């Protein structure tokens, strides 16, 4: 029988090196809080329990994961070091089994690496990595296979400073052992903190086996202390995502100028121009072409649709062969049928737009149901809001809405009808008629313009 595994994530740090009021584990990477990544791998490890130590900003951290009722949130009221954080969890741990400790600021750790670490046959196993520049990290002091000590940067002597093998902060320990070693910690070090890393020396004193498992990929085990490191890791993550997209046949015009903050599904022949941001759940069909500087969030875009430069598409559903933009804005609830054209400075909100209909310039379409083959002229506005309530506009198939029309909702325009330019339409319009709602043009003969006198 394999031993029962519990997981501890130390996340009480305030991120003092970021000088931010936000708890460090809520800083985002690829659009998600750092802690979300650790919870993902914790889930994949199928642990018997997940303990997360939180401190300053504890309520905000818990609030960011409202559905995680399975987590044992442990409060570390005073931030006295990683060893002190772990001491707070000790009483929650089972009597026996193993515990995997992870640091909340090391988000890209992989499940397979954790599995290898947990599989190491030792009382305590430490995940290490060789760094070309080990500055700032705890150094691994070994005697052959046995890890004797971890020395924090500030406590290193000149010889230890040259050690390239560093502590990633991830450890797997026998629960009975760690509970004992934790009682022996003191804060007699340069930081004056209770350092979790000191359990290594105590385990050695107790005659226990301490082994290292070396990770190969430095990005995976990079801890984040500063915004510079966060930005560096963000780039690393983005490069991995872009690489995967390109391997799946997506043409990315510049891998350094695409940001994916969510999950994306792509068909064949997709092209993404520079400075595109894809957020949330995005599905792009075959041959979708996204122009430069577009933001697409939680939307589906159908086959052959072109989104031109500087367009924003949020919570919208766009069918096949549409042309969106440049400078278009599709807001939540925009549902476009096939071959719809939405042009520059057109905003669409909570509206259905039928097959082949067009709004090519300067319009606002909100709470509207628009049929097929409708032409919406430049400057057309659905006046959907009366200051208290939203109302619907219905436009039948084949209608032609002249330039600068104000359609005061609730209102219906019948199929095949024409609205004269500049009309303010407040009453329903039948099918196949012309409706004009504007004052008649008058002509004043011999009209004199005012003349300036000196
Ligand atoms: C830690 C390790 C160091 C390792 C490095 C890898 C210790 C003493 N040092 O240093 O050997 O090379 O990570 O990135 O463990 N935390 C708490 N409560 C506290 C203090 C910290 O929960 O009182 C949490 C923080 O939220 C953070 C994690 O522990 O997520 C690590 O703390 P941090 O201060 O970043 O440790 P490092 O100095 O990076
Ligand atoms: Ca750190």
């Amino acid at each position: 029988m394999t031993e029962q595994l519990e997981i501890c994530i130390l996340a009480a740090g305030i991120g003092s090196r970021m000088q931010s009021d936000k708890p460090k584990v809520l800083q985002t990477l690829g659009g998600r809080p750092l802690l979300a990544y650790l919870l993902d791998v914790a889930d994949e490890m199928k642990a018997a329990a997940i303990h997360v130590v939180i401190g300053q900003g504890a309520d905000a951290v818990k609030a960011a994961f409202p559905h995680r009722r399975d987590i044992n949130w442990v409060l570390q009221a005073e931030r006295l070091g990683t060893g002190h954080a772990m001491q707070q969890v000790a009483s929650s741990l089972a009597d026996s089994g193993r515990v995997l400790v992870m640091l909340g600021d090391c988000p890209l750790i992989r499940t397979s690496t954790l599995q290898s670490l947990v599989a190491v046959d030792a009382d305590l196993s430490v995940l290490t990595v060789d760094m070309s520049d080990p500055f700032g990290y705890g150094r691994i002091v070994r005697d052959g296979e046995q890890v004797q000590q971890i020395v924090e940067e500030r406590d290193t002597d000149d010889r230890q400073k040259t050690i390239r093998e560093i502590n990633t902060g991830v450890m797997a320990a026998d629960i009975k052992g760690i509970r004992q070693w934790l009682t022996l910690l003191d804060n007699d070090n340069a930081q004056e903190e209770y350092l979790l890393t000191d359990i290594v020396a105590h385990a050695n004193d107790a005659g226990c086996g301490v082994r290292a498992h070396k990770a190969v990929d430095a990005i995976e085990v990079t801890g984040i202390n500063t915004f510079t490191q966060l930005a560096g890791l963000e780039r690393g993550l983005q490069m991995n995502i872009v690489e995967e997209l390109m391997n799946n046949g997506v043409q990315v015009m510049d891998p350094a100028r695409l940001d994916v903050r969510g999950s994306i599904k792509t068909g064949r022949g997709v092209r993404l121009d520079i400075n595109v941001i894809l957020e949330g759940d995005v599905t792009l069909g075959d041959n979708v072409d996204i122009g430069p500087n577009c933001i697409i969030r939680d939307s589906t875009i159908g086959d052959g649709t072109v989104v031109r430069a500087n367009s924003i598409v949020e919570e919208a559903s766009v069918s096949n062969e549409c042309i969106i933009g440049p400078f278009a804005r599709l807001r939540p609830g925009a549902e476009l049928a096939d071959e719809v054209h939405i042009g520059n400075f057109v905003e669409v909100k909570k509206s259905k737009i039928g097959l082949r209909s067009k709004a090519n310039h300067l319009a606002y379409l909100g709470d509207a149901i628009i049929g097929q083959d409708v032409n919406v002229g430049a400057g057309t506005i659905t006046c959907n809001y009366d200051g208290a309530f939203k109302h619907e506009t219905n436009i039948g198939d084949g209608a032609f809405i002249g330039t600068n029309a104000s359609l005061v909702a609730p209102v219906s325009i019948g199929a095949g009808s024409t609205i004269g330019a500049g009309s303010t339409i407040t009453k329903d319009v039948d099918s196949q008629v012309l409706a004009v709602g504007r004052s008649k043009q008058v002509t004043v003969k011999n009209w004199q313009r005012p003349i300036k006198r000196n």
Side-chain angles (χ1 to χ4, degrees):
M1 199 192 86
T2 51
E3 274 182 313
Q4 179 161 299
L5 180 74
E6 298 192 32
I7 288 182
C8 282
I9 301 170
L10 307 186
I14 46 168
S16 46
R17 286 162 276 195
M18 289 177 173
Q19 300 167 48
S20 163
D21 291 338
K22 205 186 214 181
K24 182 157 69 168
V25 290
L26 292 188
Q27 298 291 351
T28 56
L29 183 73
R32 303 174 73 212
L34 300 184
L35 186 54
Y37 290 86
L38 291 156
L39 293 176
D40 280 356
V41 285
D43 289 343
E44 284 173 17
M45 291 299 288
K46 304 210 180 342
I50 300 175
H51 313 275
V52 182
V53 183
I54 45 180
Q56 208 168 354
D59 290 339
V61 177
K62 282 199 250 180
F65 300 92
H67 306 302
R68 298 301 306 244
R69 291 177 192 280
D70 55 320
I71 292 174
N72 175 33
W73 300 102
V74 178
L75 189 70
Q76 183 193 19
E78 274 186 296
R79 200 177 162 278
L80 303 179
T82 49
H84 180 257
M86 203 48 213
Q87 283 171 342
Q88 314 308 303
V89 185
S91 61
S92 303
L93 297 174
D95 290 338
S96 62
R98 279 169 82 75
V99 60
L100 176 66
V101 184
M102 299 195 276
L103 304 184
D105 63 356
C106 178
L108 294 186
I109 187 85
R110 276 195 222 118
T111 309
S112 54
T113 307
L114 296 176
Q115 280 162 342
S116 309
L117 179 73
V118 169
V120 172
D121 186 19
D123 300 299
L124 176 60
S125 51
V126 181
L127 184 68
T128 68
V129 73
D130 288 329
M131 290 243 174
S132 49
D133 177 12
F135 180 81
Y137 291 97
R139 307 298 206 285
I140 302 294
V141 179
R142 287 175 176 247
D143 178 11
E145 293 289 291
Q146 177 77 3
V147 178
Q148 294 177 306
Q149 208 189 346
I150 298 177
V151 187
E152 292 303 298
E153 175 72 38
R154 287 168 66 180
D155 298 309
T156 48
D157 59 31
D158 285 347
R159 196 183 53 80
Q160 290 162 339
K161 281 192 207 309
T162 65
I163 299 174
R164 295 250 177 105
E165 187 182 11
I166 63 101
N167 170 34
T168 65
V170 185
M171 298 181 180
D174 173 63
I175 288 182
K176 284 200 173 94
I178 198 171
R179 197 181 264 125
Q180 174 61 25
W181 309 323
L182 285 170
T183 62
L184 302 171
L185 296 181
D186 60 40
N187 64 353
D188 186 13
N189 51 61
Q191 282 100 314
E192 297 185 345
E193 285 187 359
Y194 296 87
L195 307 175
L196 179 60
T197 42
D198 284 349
I199 64 170
V200 171
H202 294 304
N204 272 270
D205 291 345
C208 296
V210 185
R211 296 281 182 272
H213 174 73
K214 254 191 209 182
V216 273
D217 177 5
I219 282 201
E220 187 191 351
V221 293
T222 297
I224 295 169
N225 298 324
T226 63
F227 280 128
T228 307
Q229 288 167 333
L230 181 59
L233 208 58
E234 177 77 37
R235 266 301 102 209
L237 175 73
Q238 291 300 337
M239 281 317 229
N240 289 347
I241 295 171
V242 172
E243 189 90 24
E244 200 180 315
L245 283 175
M246 294 194 296
N247 288 340
N248 288 335
V250 176
Q251 185 184 6
V252 176
M253 299 316 286
D254 182 353
R257 285 184 288 172
L258 170 67
D259 284 86
V260 179
R261 301 172 188 158
S263 64
I264 154 160
K265 291 196 195 83
T266 49
R268 294 177 63 80
V270 170
R271 191 189 75 99
L272 303 174
D273 213 322
I274 59 164
N275 295 337
V276 168
I277 300 178
L278 304 172
E279 287 186 343
D281 288 323
V282 172
T283 303
L284 305 178
D286 292 345
N287 302 312
V288 166
D289 191 296
I290 311 286
N293 308 321
C294 289
I295 301 176
I296 316 281
R297 181 163 67 76
D298 289 317
S299 295
T300 301
I301 296 184
D303 297 348
T305 287
V306 177
V307 180
R308 292 181 176 154
N310 302 305
S311 294
I312 299 182
V313 179
E314 297 172 282
E315 293 175 46
S317 150
V318 180
S319 301
N320 306 327
E321 309 291 339
C322 294
I323 300 175
I324 311 298
F327 294 100
R329 181 172 182 208
L330 302 185
R331 291 174 52 200
E335 285 179 39
L336 277 49
D338 291 351
E339 296 173 54
V340 165
H341 293 186
I342 299 295
N344 41 258
F345 308 108
V346 175
E347 174 180 343
V348 182
K349 186 220 79 170
K350 203 176 169 201
S351 292
K352 286 191 166 78
I353 302 189
L355 182 70
R356 287 185 302 272
S357 288
K358 295 181 176 67
N360 270 328
H361 342 258
L362 302 154
Y364 172 63
L365 303 173
D367 301 294
I369 297 181
I370 298 176
Q372 303 183 2
D373 297 303
V374 170
N375 187 74
V376 176
T380 295
I381 304 288
T382 54
C383 311
N384 60 331
Y385 186 48
D386 60 13
F389 301 102
K390 300 276 169 66
H391 302 282
E392 201 172 274
T393 300
N394 271 276
I395 303 179
D397 294 347
F400 183 98
I401 314 296
T403 304
N404 249 8
S406 297
L407 308 176
V408 182
V411 73
S412 291
I413 313 293
S417 284
T418 303
I419 304 297
S423 291
T424 298
I425 299 295
T426 55
K427 289 186 262 191
D428 287 352
V429 174
D430 288 341
S431 302
Q432 311 294 344
V433 295
L434 166 69
V436 184
R438 61 180 183 230
S439 52
K440 281 224 164 79
Q441 183 167 329
V442 290
T443 303
V444 178
K445 287 189 175 151
N446 302 321
W447 168 255
Q448 284 288 321
R449 265 186 274 156
I451 294 164
K452 263 193 196 163
R453 289 174 219 286
N454 299 340

